[in-house]
């Protein structure tokens, strides 16, 4: 996809996004801080969690949170730009729509890689442990799964058409993260509810190479969960976001 992107436009967009220090703080520094507080600095971090330890479990969770914050913001701003007339400006250039989309996708993945690299690097230095293949597979799922949430940002941008709404969508990810079993382990009814929320399947799938389906609850117990549950959750929400994005684009064109 990146090969289709216009290198000049992609570079300009990447510099523009990374110069926004406030956004980069919430994308990279804040999740890294959460990892240090809830993972690396805790005595329980060395305890076993599947074929890794608790520090590794928290590391994956915080990297996923940072990655979706990045892709939600980039996807949302792409929608706002198009709705506010930037699309017409680009229409005067030789760059086709496909290259615009590819450039935005490349920027989203590049920005999402920042918190992933930072937090995985911190994890390596602060005692996160798992098999080498679990490191690679979890990182791959975090990167690829985060792309789904660029559609979430796109939907919010198409509905509200403002930068404030996109910022609000990124803020709403904090609530979704709590509901999605990211910040602390849920149990009972709350865990059942969590399985239907957007972030649950994504993060559970990213953790799967380490946990192998074991879900840890607030009482210190554990239950086994089949792989199809997080896979189905991620795919279902991806389809919901994709359907809404297509419908909203068609509706906006019908109004013009």
């Amino acid at each position: 996809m990146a090969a289709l992107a216009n290198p000049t436009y992609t570079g300009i967009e990447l510099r523009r996004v990374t110069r926004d220090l406030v956004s980069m703080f919430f994308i990279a520094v804040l999740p890294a801080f959460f990892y240090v507080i809830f993972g690396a600095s805790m005595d329980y971090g060395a305890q076993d969690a599947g074929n890794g330890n608790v520090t590794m479990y928290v590391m994956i969770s915080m990297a996923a949170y940072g990655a979706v914050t990045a892709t939600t913001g980039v996807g949302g701003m792409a929608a706002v730009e198009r709705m506010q007339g930037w699309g017409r400006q680009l229409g005067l250039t030789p760059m086709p729509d496909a290259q615009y989309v590819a450039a935005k996708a490349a920027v989203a993945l590049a920005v999402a890689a920042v918190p992933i690299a930072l937090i995985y690097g911190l994890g390596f230095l602060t005692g996160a442990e798992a098999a080498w293949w679990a490191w690679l597979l979890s990182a791959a799922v975090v990167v690829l799964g985060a792309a789904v949430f660029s559609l979430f940002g796109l939907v919010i941008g198409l509905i509200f058409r403002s930068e404030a709404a996109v910022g609000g969508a990124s803020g709403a990810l904090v609530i979704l993260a709590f509901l999605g079993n990211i910040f602390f382990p849920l149990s009972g009814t709350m865990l059942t509810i969590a399985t239907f929320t957007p972030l649950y399947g994504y993060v559970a799938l990213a953790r799967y190479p380490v946990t192998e389906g074991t879900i840890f609850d607030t009482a210190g117990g554990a239950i086994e969960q089949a792989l199809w549950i997080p896979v189905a959750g991620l795919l279902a929400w991806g389809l919901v976001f994709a359907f809404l994005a297509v419908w909203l684009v068609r509706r906006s064109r019908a109004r013009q």
Side-chain angles (χ1 to χ4, degrees), residues 68-156:
V68 298
T69 301
T71 55
T72 295
V74 173
M77 287 310 302
V80 171
E81 289 171 2
R82 301 289 285 190
M83 300 296 285
Q84 292 181 344
W86 181 235
R88 289 191 292 273
Q89 288 292 108
L90 290 176
L92 300 175
T93 73
M95 186 173 68
D97 286 346
Q99 284 196 344
Y100 173 81
V101 172
K104 287 295 186 180
V107 169
L109 291 178
V111 176
V114 174
I116 297 170
L118 175 60
I119 295 169
Y120 270 62
L122 285 173
F124 181 78
L125 295 173
T126 55
E129 296 179 358
W132 65 267
W133 52 266
W135 284 79
L136 294 179
L137 282 178
S138 63
V141 174
V142 170
V143 172
L144 297 176
V148 171
F149 291 86
S150 64
L151 293 173
F152 170 67
L154 183 63
V155 168
I156 298 299

Side-chain angles (χ1 to χ4, degrees), residues 21 50 54 69 95 123 161 173 206 215 231 237 252:
L21 297 182
V54 173
T69 301
M95 186 173 68
R161 309 185 186 189
L173 289 175
I215 306 297
V231 171
W237 279 106
S252 67

Side-chain angles (χ1 to χ4, degrees), residues 11-256:
I12 292 171
E13 281 293 290
L14 189 57
R15 287 193 296 273
R16 182 178 67 83
V17 172
T18 53
R19 279 200 303 263
D20 186 345
L21 297 182
V22 174
S23 294
M24 291 307 298
F25 173 83
F26 285 103
I27 288 170
V29 179
L30 187 61
F33 175 75
F34 286 159
Y35 161 70
V36 172
I37 295 299
F38 297 121
S41 65
M42 292 296 176
D43 293 336
Y44 57 67
Q47 295 179 9
D48 291 339
N51 59 31
N53 60 9
V54 173
T55 300
M56 182 75 179
Y57 181 93
V58 175
M59 183 198 77
I60 295 170
S61 304
M62 294 303 104
Y65 172 68
V68 298
T69 301
T71 55
T72 295
V74 173
M77 287 310 302
V80 171
E81 289 171 2
R82 301 289 285 190
M83 300 296 285
Q84 292 181 344
W86 181 235
R88 289 191 292 273
Q89 288 292 108
L90 290 176
L92 300 175
T93 73
M95 186 173 68
D97 286 346
Q99 284 196 344
Y100 173 81
V101 172
K104 287 295 186 180
V107 169
L109 291 178
V111 176
V114 174
I116 297 170
L118 175 60
I119 295 169
Y120 270 62
L122 285 173
F124 181 78
L125 295 173
T126 55
E129 296 179 358
W132 65 267
W133 52 266
W135 284 79
L136 294 179
L137 282 178
S138 63
V141 174
V142 170
V143 172
L144 297 176
V148 171
F149 291 86
S150 64
L151 293 173
F152 170 67
L154 183 63
V155 168
I156 298 299
L158 289 169
I159 292 173
F160 297 104
R161 309 185 186 189
S162 73
E163 295 182 15
V166 175
S170 297
L173 289 175
V174 177
I175 298 172
L176 292 176
F178 276 106
L179 294 176
N181 202 34
I182 291 181
F183 289 141
F184 60 87
L186 303 175
S187 61
T189 302
M190 287 302 298
L191 181 59
T192 301
I193 294 171
T195 59
F196 296 98
T197 61
L199 283 173
Y200 179 85
Y202 165 57
V203 177
L205 194 59
R207 292 168 177 160
Y208 200 89
V210 173
T211 65
E212 297 181 337
T214 302
I215 306 297
F216 304 98
D217 63 27
T218 51
I223 60 173
E224 298 299 319
Q225 188 174 73
L227 178 59
W228 70 265
I229 294 177
V231 171
L234 182 60
L235 290 176
W237 279 106
L239 290 173
V240 168
F241 295 148
F243 171 80
L244 288 174
V246 171
W247 178 70
L248 288 166
V249 168
R250 289 179 177 174
R251 189 181 69 168
S252 67
R253 286 178 178 172
R255 289 178 174 177
Q256 294 175 353

